[in-house]
Each structure stands twice: as structure tokens, then as C-alpha cells.
Amino acid sequence: LLFVSDPVEINRLQKIAVEQSRLKIPLLFGFDVIHGLNTIFPVPLAMAATWDPQLVEDAQAIAAREARAAGIHVTFAPNVDISRDARWGRIVEGAGEDPYLGSVMAAAQVRGFQGPYLGSPGRVISGPKHFAGYGASMGGRDYDEVNLSDSELWNVYLPPFKAAVDAGAGNIMSAYMGLNGVPATGNHWLMTKVLRQMWG
């Protein structure tokens, strides 16, 4: 279930799932923990401006502990989109325009959210987003079409996602827009060939 963050409501719903459903399968709760849950940290663009990956990892570890204590299992974070068009309204959620800095911050945030392994106590599953190219929307318009060359994809927009995967990200959120004419959510090349087959 998405966007439920009240522990009382999470417990109520979990009890229904485990005790009253036929298969007794527990629910997973996901929430957008971008820069803190109860303790609010600077926005990701500001945290990236510190060039201090340990600081960023520590901040996301605190956010993860607070989220897990509330009953949240999965976060829709970090946003690892590279953006070079300041008109895009979500530029503040990522690390900015540099693929190297974006990659370092992506890995640090995944480690902070997840800890040393998936299922680490007091941690949540990280969900780097939006795979891929979302920050390059035409005219900076959110959800609009993205048209990128192979060079731009491989050298600018994909490296932070690769760094997040290499850091052990347990989930990847697909982008919402069309990438070179194919919806990212149904893009076989992107979701199967790159993410699953090439990156494992």
C-alpha cells in the first residue's frame, strides 16, 4: 500500500491482511521519504551540494529508522535523475546536473536507506527513481516526452542508476514518460535488457 504513514493505520491494515485474508500475506507499505520523515533534512539538491556522501548516507539512515519505526518498508527514494534544465520542477529532488556527483550521492543514499544488506534492522528498501531519463523532459515539463541519444543515456542519465544498483538497491521505480517514443514502463530495452540482463 502506498502513502500510508500513520503507525496506527498501518497496524490496523496489517492485522486485517494477516488475520482476516485467505492467504495471510503481510502487506508492504511504501512512502516517499525523500529527505526525512519526522526529522526533516535539507532537500537532496542541497545535500548533494555538500559533496559529503557520508553525511548524506547518515541522514538517510536516520530517515530509514524513522520510516521503519512507523511501519514503512519501502521508500520511493532516492531520486537519482540528472537534470540540466532548471525549468523542471523536480530538479530539487535530485543531485543536480553532474553524473559523477549524482552517482556518488545515489550510492550513499541507497546505503543509508538499506544498511549493509536488504532486511537490515531499522532500514527500508530503497527505490531509486525515475528509470530513466525523466529529468530530461522536453522544456522542463514534468511527465513530458524525453528524447536522448545513446551517448547522453549511457554517459549522463544512466550512471546514477547503475551506481544505485551496484550499491544494492532492492527496487527501481520506472519513469512515467516516453523515452525516445516508448513509454518507460513498457520499454523492453530499458527494463529488461539494461536493468535486468546487463545490470542483474
Side-chain angles (χ1 to χ4, degrees):
L1 295 177
L2 310 180
F3 303 111
V4 181
S5 60
D6 175 35
V8 173
E9 183 65 3
I10 286 174
N11 285 338
R12 184 185 76 79
L13 294 169
Q14 196 68 272
K15 189 171 182 177
I16 291 169
V18 173
E19 296 178 3
Q20 298 176 26
S21 68
R22 181 176 64 87
L23 298 176
K24 317 277 188 240
I25 298 172
L27 300 170
L28 285 174
F29 291 89
F31 197 73
D32 217 355
V33 184
I34 294 285
H35 57 98
L37 184 68
N38 298 318
T39 304
I40 302 301
F41 293 99
V43 295
L45 187 62
M47 288 203 293
T50 67
W51 286 81
D52 187 342
Q54 188 61 56
L55 174 75
V56 172
E57 182 177 335
D58 294 344
Q60 298 302 35
I62 293 168
R65 282 195 295 276
E66 291 179 355
R68 191 65 201 102
I72 296 165
H73 305 101
V74 180
T75 180
F76 316 136
N79 180 332
V80 301
D81 294 313
I82 297 297
S83 183
R84 294 177 166 178
D85 186 340
R87 295 174 295 179
W88 189 51
R90 299 185 75 169
I91 199 168
V92 71
E93 292 180 29
E97 64 183 3
D98 182 71
Y100 175 75
L101 178 61
S103 297
V104 170
M105 292 300 162
Q109 290 183 79
V110 168
R111 289 190 306 268
F113 282 127
Q114 292 187 177
Y117 58 89
L118 278 176
S120 293
R123 302 300 177 100
V124 295
I125 298 169
S126 177
K129 61 185 183 184
H130 304 87
F131 192 66
Y134 188 52
S137 61
M138 292 174 53
R141 294 183 301 266
D142 206 22
Y143 304 103
D144 212 344
E145 179 76 13
V146 169
N147 295 297
L148 293 171
S149 68
D150 285 348
S151 176
E152 286 178 299
L153 268 170
W154 288 108
N155 294 312
V156 177
Y157 295 92
L158 290 178
F161 287 99
K162 180 67 165 82
V165 168
D166 289 347
N171 184 38
I172 298 287
M173 180 190 290
S174 66
Y176 309 130
M177 77 307 149
L179 175 62
N180 296 334
V182 179
T185 56
N187 190 316
H188 184 266
W189 174 81
L190 185 64
M191 302 303 287
T192 300
K193 291 190 175 181
V194 175
L195 185 60
R196 291 182 175 95
Q197 294 174 357
M198 292 178 68
W199 295 353

